[in-house]
Amino acid sequence: MWAALRSRSSSLHPWKQGIAVPPGLNPTAFYSSSFTTATTNKAFLSLQEIEKVLNDVRADDVKVLSVPNVHADWADYVVLATGRSTWHVKNIAQALIHKAKQKQKGVDRKVLPSVEGQEEGKWIVIDSGKIIVHALDEKAREYYNLEGLWTTETSQKEPNLELEKAFVKIRPKNNSKKPVQKVA
Amino acid sequence: MASGFASKWSKVGRQLLGGVGNNFSGLLSTSHEITCGNPLFQQQRTFIQMRTVLKVVDNSGAKKVMCIQALKGKKGARLGDTIVASVKEAHPNGKVKKGKVVYGVVVRAAMQRGRCDGSEVKFDDNAVVLVDKQGQPIGTRVFGPVPHELRKKKHVKILTLAEHIA
């Protein structure tokens, strides 16, 4: 069954460009197919390499989040980086792609991470399988507020407790001289 | 509001009855089940085309849009495709106003879409996320489930803003 799956995926999704991760396959199947072709595991930049590249490019405010809850089954790490201008953001993307190309120097078929938003340098996403890098400029970072999105989702349970307390009935204080009329 | 999705693990198709009754009678015993499984009683969902009204599931300000054009595909747009739409209903103070022509990415479609492992995914409603011409989402949050198919279609930004990934 795995052989059929592999052949089907290779025929439907040619590996010439981008990470064509078939959405139905789970990560274990993905790795099993990648071990048959020894080249593909070189394509993915490790976390240390990405950090090094971002330091070289001098990206601001680099944050690495391991997203356990919502995005668990399709990514392991999410890296956020800010660029000072659109040119800087494009440069961050270019540097990461260059690093990926360098890593696969001897290979005849290179697998590059997929890039979105390249021509407009406001928000560029570099998707390399397990690690997703978001390069934003400062305005976009403030506008989309991705840290707020991902840190509030872990603390979604907490507001509920306060909500239960909020609906507790509080007896109004009776400061008038009239005695309280008892409701029969 | 439950907008769940059903994924069928076998590509049942529409050619169930009509001559293949021998195999079928073994599977379904009562007439009620036959009625429900009968393709004549199931609604055949189709593409998103001109005049289709879709729900907007981000916080860009619009509520309902009507599709003007499906950008790719002769018959119409499917899950994960981009459409051109006109805003028909909007929140009073939002980023988009009624009557504006916007681009959108279909994130939920009533028509089933096949996945590469043979399963199909379909939703209860047609929903769209508004983007600009370059593919940047106009809103900052996406509500409801979104499918994996967006990753292949290079809409990872919408996936990151989503609250639940189907």
Side-chain angles (χ1 to χ4, degrees):
Chain A
M1 188 234 165
W2 288 125
L5 212 68
R6 251 185 270 133
S7 64
R8 192 173 173 183
S9 68
S10 60
S11 62
L12 289 178
H13 310 286
W15 285 83
K16 52 176 177 154
Q17 163 67 342
I19 301 303
V21 178
L25 288 181
N26 49 11
T28 55
F30 176 75
Y31 279 134
S32 69
S33 64
S34 73
F35 282 144
T36 58
T37 62
T39 58
T40 49
N41 46 10
K42 273 197 210 168
F44 311 125
L45 303 166
S46 69
L47 212 56
Q48 291 84 19
E49 286 176 341
I50 290 181
E51 277 179 55
K52 188 167 169 302
V53 168
L54 290 176
N55 278 331
D56 289 338
V57 178
R58 266 168 287 171
D60 306 325
D61 201 10
V62 177
K63 278 199 186 133
V64 179
L65 302 157
S66 73
V67 262
N69 18 31
V70 174
H71 307 272
D73 37 357
W74 59 286
D76 270 350
Y77 293 106
V78 172
V79 182
L80 295 177
T82 315
R84 284 181 286 274
S85 68
T86 57
W87 190 89
H88 193 197
V89 171
K90 284 186 200 174
N91 211 21
I92 294 172
Q94 285 298 319
L96 287 166
I97 296 171
H98 182 68
K99 183 76 192 169
K101 275 192 202 170
Q102 258 189 343
K103 212 178 162 188
Q104 314 173 59
K105 237 189 178 162
V107 179
D108 45 350
R109 227 176 209 204
K110 290 197 173 60
V111 183
L112 296 171
S114 77
V115 185
E116 289 172 31
Q118 177 66 44
E119 61 281 346
E120 214 191 55
K122 295 229 175 86
W123 181 4
I124 300 185
V125 178
I126 294 153
D127 181 7
S128 61
K130 286 291 185 179
I131 303 177
I132 300 175
V133 184
H134 295 274
L136 310 129
D137 69 349
E138 286 144 357
K139 274 192 185 174
R141 187 141 186 175
E142 212 184 288
Y143 179 64
Y144 287 110
N145 195 15
L146 293 170
E147 298 103 326
L149 181 69
W150 286 322
T151 47
T152 49
E153 73 181 2
T154 51
S155 62
Q156 250 170 22
K157 305 265 164 112
E158 295 170 19
N160 283 339
L161 296 169
E162 290 170 304
L163 202 69
E164 284 162 25
K165 278 192 203 157
F167 277 89
V168 165
K169 222 174 178 181
I170 301 170
R171 283 185 176 272
K173 254 184 157 178
N174 188 17
N175 284 330
S176 67
K177 302 286 190 268
K178 266 186 171 178
V180 177
Q181 298 223 346
K182 285 214 173 110
V183 181
Chain B
M1 203 219 86
S3 62
F5 72 100
S7 82
K8 295 183 277 188
W9 276 91
S10 63
K11 240 195 177 156
V12 175
R14 301 293 171 204
Q15 52 268 30
L16 272 181
L17 288 185
V20 206
N22 294 333
N23 304 332
F24 212 63
S25 55
L27 296 170
L28 301 183
S29 47
T30 63
S31 61
H32 170 68
E33 286 171 335
I34 292 174
T35 308
C36 281
N38 192 335
L40 298 174
F41 288 91
Q42 280 176 4
Q43 201 167 0
Q44 170 75 320
R45 303 285 182 175
T46 181
F47 298 86
I48 290 168
Q49 48 192 326
M50 201 188 296
R51 302 288 287 183
T52 306
V53 174
L54 300 109
K55 201 166 74 160
V56 175
V57 288
D58 58 1
N59 54 357
S60 58
K63 284 196 268 198
K64 294 258 186 251
V65 295
M66 180 182 288
C67 174
I68 303 174
Q69 183 72 263
L71 287 178
K72 274 210 166 167
K74 204 161 100 173
K75 292 189 232 174
R78 308 166 76 184
L79 196 56
D81 290 341
T82 321
I83 61 166
V84 186
S86 150
V87 178
K88 290 294 178 190
E89 203 183 303
H91 284 297
N93 38 357
K95 292 176 205 103
V96 290
K97 302 273 177 257
K98 184 179 157 190
K100 189 163 169 211
V101 173
V102 287
Y103 286 78
V105 170
V106 180
V107 297
R108 297 203 280 276
M111 183 166 116
Q112 72 275 3
R113 176 125 197 179
R115 290 192 164 169
C116 64
D117 58 355
S119 64
E120 290 180 335
V121 61
K122 67 178 178 185
F123 295 86
D124 276 347
D125 58 347
N126 297 315
V128 77
V129 168
L130 302 187
V131 288
D132 66 0
K133 200 128 191 251
Q134 277 77 27
Q136 292 269 104
I138 299 179
T140 56
R141 298 286 181 263
V142 173
F143 306 111
V146 291
H148 283 297
E149 271 78 4
L150 298 180
R151 191 179 193 183
K152 181 91 193 298
K153 300 264 184 175
K154 309 269 195 124
H155 296 307
V156 181
K157 296 183 190 178
I158 299 173
L159 279 175
T160 60
L161 299 175
E163 62 176 20
H164 178 65
I165 299 182

